[in-house]
Amino acid sequence: MKKALLAGVSLIAVGAIGGAYADTLPPMGKTYCDPYKNYSCLDSYLGDDFITRFINYYRLEWGHESAPSDPKAPPSRRAYWPTTPESTPPMPFTEWPYGGTTSLGVTRSGSIDSPLMAALGNTRLGQEMADNHIQVYGWINGGGNLSNNTVRGGNAPAAYDYNPNTVQLDQAVVYIERLPDTVQKDHVDWGFRLAPIFGETYRYTTAYGLWSNQLLNHNSNYGYDLPMAYGEVFVPQLAEGLMIRFGRFISIPDIEAQLAPNNYMYSHSMTYTFDNFTNTGIQLTLAATKNWLIQAGLTAGTESVPWHVGATIANPFPNPLYPNSTMLKDPGAQPSGTLGIRYTTDSGNDSINVIANGINNGNWGYNNLNWYGVTYYHRFNDQWHISIESYDLHQNNVLNQNNPAALAAFAAGGTPFSPQYMPFNSPFLAQCSNPGLFSCTAESRSFLWYLNYSPTKLDNISWRFEWFDDVEGQRTGTKTNYIETGLGWQHWFSPQIEIRPEFSFYRSLNGFAFNGNSNLGIAPNKSTALIGSADIIIHF
């Protein structure tokens, strides 16, 4: 790539992003400036006004795998810590994923590479934010798909491409945050994150009781949410460091996450789609040693809110499951426990997490999932790694769809999730093996892998394969085993812009599961789904 700079500002013509370049000599007395070779000239390269700096930062990083390196920056990880396994680009993470905490031993305050923060860098606001280690950044994510399904919502239970044959705004996200410094060990530090989101994918982050009327009362195609709103306190003097997180946060299991840049592929596995997404409460993460992490938490359940704990509603149709004139608004909103342990080798090549999340009496709730599982990561070399996840989750006392009396109670408003209370997207009933039972335990099991190959520092190719067993049909609406496989390409034009084309194939082995929509009263009529899709993420 050839560049010419005028007074430190790039003159890459019509388009450093996809256009033709023009070579222009600098004026008399001016010299070329490349911040990748001389970091001290970064400010002169970017320019003076906000718009120029914002655009020039994208131009600066175009075609590069990272931002220019500041030689005066302090170390970004403890010297004795396990080796960093991956890099971003081309992967969606640098450390093997684990939730509920800012990564311990490897996080510096104000360390996010952001065009917006670079553009603000020479302003009074930007300087005050830098002095207080506060950053504002985010991304816009849009995509589309072509599918053999035709019904609105008919791609489900595939996700995040709910509507077939459409183009959509998946998510626009802003992070307002302060990262605690977890590399240092000499003082208590603190942080926070607010992460408002708008787009189609709000339907996967919604917690019952927090703006949930958009999904549960109106089935809006687009909506907003706040999947992360938490504070953190880091206490480095205890062992290798203790992080205390409190608020609403992403649940600690899983390879994947709701936020687009945290995933290998545009779509998500069924394994991820139908398990625990967010918790609200307190989460403790202790680095007992450089290799061992221990996590414990107390929350208000899964996709639930504290103000629903103990809240009741009228019961117009008492029945064996809810025999009184009132019933809990959400039986899943109750004190719930999380326990986890993680081991990472010194080389960073292997990491295993064993997790129990959302643990309580397991009664049928909006998403009251008792989750027991494991994630494992292995790095073969600089180009190949594999990520594996397996779990078992269940809910107890789920109303039996195969029992006429239970169906009558549901239709008459005798459950918290009857159409009188939740007209759209209510939790599915269980298809119990014994029709004589009024309710039963609903279980699902899963095995998932992502095999990843990085041919260049700006490309990652992922092969996803999974088996998902919806034993009573409570998670997807169809009582069946599923197999799914997909091939995706994650290409980065720079650390700020990436595209992810992919192709996925789904098959339900024991019944029709696709091309239906329970909200519209349309039964599925296909056992296979073929979906080609692609998205673009533009970070700012």
Side-chain angles (χ1 to χ4, degrees):
M1 177 185 302
K2 292 184 178 180
K3 297 183 179 180
L5 303 168
L6 176 60
V9 178
S10 174
L11 292 181
I12 301 176
V14 223
I17 304 175
Y21 298 107
D23 293 322
T24 305
L25 292 175
M28 189 70 66
K30 298 297 181 180
T31 58
Y32 289 98
C33 164
D34 184 351
Y36 281 93
K37 296 178 180 178
N38 180 7
Y39 187 82
S40 64
C41 73
L42 176 62
D43 243 16
S44 64
Y45 176 97
L46 294 177
D48 296 323
D49 65 277
F50 174 84
I51 295 298
T52 300
R53 292 173 64 89
F54 187 68
I55 294 172
N56 280 342
Y57 199 79
Y58 284 101
R59 289 173 168 170
L60 170 65
E61 291 195 329
W62 188 261
H64 290 276
E65 65 196 58
S66 64
S69 178
D70 181 358
K72 297 179 181 179
S76 60
R77 68 190 302 111
R78 297 178 190 172
Y80 57 92
W81 219 241
T83 304
T84 304
E86 299 297 335
S87 65
T88 303
M91 299 304 169
F93 50 76
T94 56
E95 307 297 318
W96 301 125
Y98 61 105
T101 178
T102 294
S103 295
L104 301 183
V106 297
T107 304
R108 287 290 189 185
S109 301
S111 57
I112 301 301
D113 178 27
S114 160
L116 176 60
M117 293 309 300
L120 290 170
N122 68 340
T123 67
R124 181 176 177 181
L125 173 62
Q127 290 165 2
E128 289 181 355
M129 292 174 69
D131 290 343
N132 291 282
H133 305 300
I134 294 173
Q135 293 189 288
V136 178
Y137 62 99
W139 58 88
I140 297 173
N141 172 222
N145 74 88
L146 295 174
S147 170
N148 68 323
N149 298 308
T150 56
V151 172
R152 183 193 173 199
N155 279 343
Y160 279 7
D161 38 20
Y162 176 75
N163 291 313
N165 305 305
T166 189
V167 175
Q168 64 191 22
L169 171 65
D170 291 282
Q171 53 185 241
V173 179
V174 176
Y175 278 9
I176 307 165
E177 74 176 13
R178 184 188 193 277
L179 293 172
D181 187 339
T182 70
V183 177
Q184 58 79 31
K185 290 203 66 180
D186 56 19
H187 66 274
V188 173
D189 205 359
W190 61 279
F192 70 90
R193 175 180 286 172
L194 298 173
I197 179 174
F198 176 82
E200 192 272 345
T201 58
Y202 89 98
R203 69 173 50 247
Y204 300 102
T205 70
T206 295
Y208 181 29
L210 186 65
W211 306 306
S212 55
N213 61 306
Q214 301 171 99
L215 182 68
L216 305 179
N217 294 91
H218 304 293
N219 193 30
S220 301
N221 192 51
Y222 291 105
Y224 55 86
D225 194 16
L226 190 65
M228 287 181 282
Y230 60 76
E232 289 186 316
V233 176
F234 177 60
V235 184
Q237 294 87 354
L238 186 60
E240 291 291 343
L242 170 69
M243 185 70 77
I244 305 168
R245 176 176 286 187
F246 48 91
R248 187 183 182 203
F249 46 84
I250 307 299
S251 59
I252 71 174
D254 291 324
I255 297 167
E256 302 162 66
Q258 292 100 323
L259 291 310
N262 301 136
N263 300 284
Y264 298 113
M265 295 170 62
Y266 174 30
S267 67
H268 285 253
S269 65
M270 296 178 68
T271 296
Y272 177 74
T273 302
F274 296 104
D275 73 347
N276 309 47
F277 276 14
T278 65
N279 301 122
T280 301
I282 185 169
Q283 183 71 46
L284 307 181
T285 303
L286 175 68
T289 71
K290 62 185 173 66
N291 304 104
W292 289 94
L293 286 178
I294 301 170
Q295 296 187 284
L298 181 64
T299 68
T302 299
E303 274 72 76
S304 57
V305 291
W307 47 90
H308 274 182
V309 176
T312 60
I313 55 176
N315 182 2
F317 196 88
N319 56 81
L321 191 57
Y322 300 102
N324 302 316
S325 59
T326 62
M327 54 189 166
L328 290 173
K329 188 169 187 175
D330 180 6
Q334 57 178 294
S336 307
T338 295
L339 289 172
I341 188 167
R342 176 181 191 257
Y343 176 76
T344 303
T345 59
D346 286 344
S347 67
N349 287 344
D350 296 272
S351 184
I352 186 168
N353 302 263
V354 181
I355 304 293
N357 188 61
I359 307 308
N360 52 44
N361 62 19
N363 282 338
W364 183 39
Y366 173 68
N367 209 24
N368 189 30
L369 308 172
N370 283 215
W371 192 103
Y372 300 88
V374 60
T375 59
Y376 172 68
Y377 306 91
H378 175 69
R379 176 180 178 273
F380 297 99
N381 53 41
D382 288 345
Q383 293 181 299
W384 291 90
H385 79 264
I386 192 168
S387 304
I388 297 171
E389 180 173 348
S390 183
Y391 66 62
D392 180 281
L393 59 80
H394 72 273
Q395 293 184 85
N396 300 321
N397 303 312
V398 183
L399 207 68
N400 185 3
Q401 182 177 318
N402 295 328
N403 182 290
L407 277 180
F410 182 76
T415 80
F417 312 114
S418 294
Q420 292 85 345
Y421 294 111
M422 202 171 284
F424 297 104
N425 300 299
S426 64
F428 287 115
L429 309 185
Q431 298 167 42
C432 309
S433 298
N434 183 352
L437 296 175
F438 197 82
S439 64
C440 66
T441 295
E443 184 180 15
S444 60
R445 299 182 286 260
S446 180
F447 178 83
L448 163 72
W449 82 49
Y450 281 92
L451 180 62
N452 304 281
Y453 170 64
S454 174
T456 78
K457 292 296 185 181
L458 293 173
D459 295 279
N460 173 50
I461 298 169
S462 294
W463 173 36
R464 181 175 68 209
F465 177 83
E466 67 175 324
W467 163 78
F468 186 85
D469 184 9
D470 193 359
V471 182
E472 281 75 32
Q474 196 278 323
R475 300 309 296 145
T476 68
T478 302
K479 183 177 181 178
T480 183
N481 281 269
Y482 297 85
I483 56 170
E484 182 263 326
T485 188
L487 189 66
W489 173 39
Q490 185 177 18
H491 175 69
W492 301 69
F493 296 100
S494 75
Q496 306 302 339
I497 302 175
E498 56 182 296
I499 58 171
R500 298 182 298 183
E502 67 171 72
F503 179 81
S504 296
F505 169 78
Y506 301 78
R507 181 170 179 81
S508 54
L509 301 179
N510 312 110
F512 294 135
F514 300 96
N515 204 42
N517 189 322
S518 60
N519 290 316
L520 302 177
I522 301 173
N525 59 12
K526 293 183 179 180
S527 59
T528 60
L530 297 168
I531 306 173
S533 57
D535 72 336
I536 183 170
I537 304 173
I538 303 174
H539 302 252
F540 58 83

